[in-house]
Amino acid sequence: MSQSPSLFSRGYIDGIYIPSGLLVFGTLIVKREWLPYAVALAVALGTFKVWNNRVRAVLKPAEFQDFELQEKTIISHNVAIYRFKLPSETAILGLPIGQHISIGAGIKQADGTSKEIVRSYTPISGDQPGFFDLLIKSYPTGNISKYMASLVVGQTIKVKGPKGAMVYTPNMVRHFGMIAGGTGITPMLQIIRAVIRGRPTGDTTEIDLIFANVNKEDILLKEDLDQLAAEDKGFRVHYVLNNPPENWEGGVGFVTPEMMTKWLPKPAEDVKMLLCGPPPMISAMKKASESLGFKKARPVSKLEDQVFAF
């Protein structure tokens, strides 16, 4: 979570202390009797600057707000990273780790009418001041994903949140086993980054991730994941492809109980399995995890569940 700037940061020194000092010193030289007013003005301006620079969470759970598209980075023919601007450079989204946002849009229907469609997405950026990033794959039948793909810089989307039953806290479990398919990587990446960020303050959580895709070029954010795994010995990523290239060293086909046994932690009270991907995959992984000794997953997951599906 982002914090407000330090009172001794360069921004405060250049923006508050030096101008206030010059105002007071100049008044002392030019018109000494105005000194109390100059001091009062310096204090007022300094207080306003501190107040204006504080970090503010902007999300509202019950109210949609408009956010402007600032930048669009094309990853492939149907995948892009969308960066949306927050109201100020110090504002943050205010999204707890593990939760997601709702995006709403009026989508034109076949009969010519417009229908409000809402879908859930997990930002990949965390609470960065000034912006948030969404990784979205556009599907031919996807209402919101097609709408997002049509956006150009300067247009806005409607967002509300946070939503979801998962809220990550440091060391909530000893070991996470994660299984993601396609864009289901986004909530996993959010938690992985939070765990690694927490290492200096004592987060010792181990993470093993199985990331399943159809083709190698479908593996989203592979460079980011590989770099995180290279830099943090507590995080490991295992790739599975339906159509692997020659000399592929990862898993092949669908994720199986054998792969889960090989790469993921065994069932234990301090172990949690996290799932995110297409519904058929989630259904299969719930059954597979139960066959391996994990507690039966509920249709709608709760935070305390041993097997949690986003």
Side-chain angles (χ1 to χ4, degrees):
M1 192 71 74
S2 298
Q3 296 180 339
S4 296
S6 163
L7 291 175
F8 300 101
S9 68
R10 173 58 60 185
Y12 280 134
I13 292 171
D14 292 344
I16 299 177
Y17 304 141
I18 291 176
S20 296
L22 290 173
L23 174 64
V24 172
F25 185 69
T27 304
L28 185 63
I29 294 173
V30 176
K31 209 158 180 90
R32 184 182 294 265
E33 60 269 27
W34 287 2
L35 186 60
Y37 304 107
V39 171
L41 180 59
V43 169
L45 291 175
T47 301
F48 173 77
K49 182 90 173 183
V50 170
W51 174 260
N52 205 42
N53 277 356
R54 78 196 192 283
V55 171
R56 281 170 288 187
V58 300
L59 272 181
K60 296 178 182 178
E63 180 183 332
F64 277 111
Q65 299 177 83
D66 289 330
F67 295 96
E68 180 185 327
L69 181 62
Q70 179 178 330
E71 189 179 331
K72 184 176 178 178
T73 305
I74 304 298
I75 304 299
S76 70
H77 72 284
N78 62 351
V79 178
I81 295 176
Y82 303 82
R83 174 162 293 184
F84 291 93
K85 191 189 301 183
L86 294 177
S88 74
E89 290 183 0
T90 57
I92 60 170
L93 200 55
L95 187 70
I97 301 300
Q99 299 210 302
H100 53 265
I101 58 175
S102 293
I103 295 178
I107 306 295
K108 193 172 183 180
Q109 303 299 297
D111 61 2
T113 61
S114 182
K115 182 180 179 183
E116 183 77 6
I117 305 292
V118 178
R119 293 289 183 269
S120 297
Y121 290 93
T122 303
I124 59 171
S125 50
D127 269 341
Q128 299 292 332
F131 68 89
F132 66 94
D133 290 340
L134 295 172
L135 174 76
I136 296 178
K137 185 173 185 176
S138 178
Y139 295 94
T141 57
N143 285 307
I144 295 294
S145 67
K146 278 200 301 183
Y147 170 78
M148 295 291 289
S150 71
L151 287 179
V152 296
V153 171
Q155 290 185 301
T156 62
I157 58 169
K158 296 183 182 298
V159 174
K160 69 178 179 180
K163 298 178 72 68
M166 168 60 71
V167 178
Y168 174 74
T169 51
N171 296 310
M172 66 186 295
V173 292
R174 173 179 56 84
H175 202 151
F176 278 123
M178 297 178 172
I179 304 176
T183 52
I185 191 61
T186 54
M188 307 303 186
L189 185 60
Q190 186 193 36
I191 292 174
I192 291 162
R193 284 177 169 161
V195 169
I196 293 174
R197 271 200 313 272
R199 297 295 193 212
T201 52
D203 197 331
T204 59
T205 309
E206 295 276 318
I207 302 174
D208 277 279
L209 164 69
I210 294 177
F211 189 14
N213 289 277
V214 178
N215 304 303
K216 188 176 180 181
E217 55 268 26
D218 295 325
I219 303 175
L220 301 171
L221 302 171
K222 187 175 188 299
E223 287 184 8
D224 298 61
L225 290 165
D226 290 343
Q227 184 175 348
L228 289 169
E231 293 173 354
D232 188 273
K233 59 180 175 48
F235 167 58
R236 293 157 293 275
V237 58
H238 315 276
Y239 298 106
V240 176
L241 294 178
N242 283 9
N243 304 320
E246 286 186 30
N247 304 316
W248 173 250
E249 295 181 356
V252 176
F254 296 110
V255 178
T256 63
E258 289 73 26
M259 292 177 188
M260 295 166 68
T261 299
K262 179 181 178 182
W263 290 324
L264 301 183
K266 306 294 183 287
E269 288 302 315
D270 54 0
V271 166
K272 191 183 285 285
M273 187 77 72
L274 303 181
L275 311 174
C276 192
M281 177 187 177
I282 296 302
S283 178
M285 293 303 94
K286 283 181 175 181
K287 290 174 184 172
S289 61
E290 188 180 357
S291 74
L292 294 174
F294 285 89
K295 293 172 185 173
K296 183 179 172 65
R298 285 190 256 204
V300 178
S301 296
K302 304 289 186 185
L303 178 61
E304 63 271 17
D305 290 355
Q306 190 178 37
V307 178
F308 184 97
F310 288 94

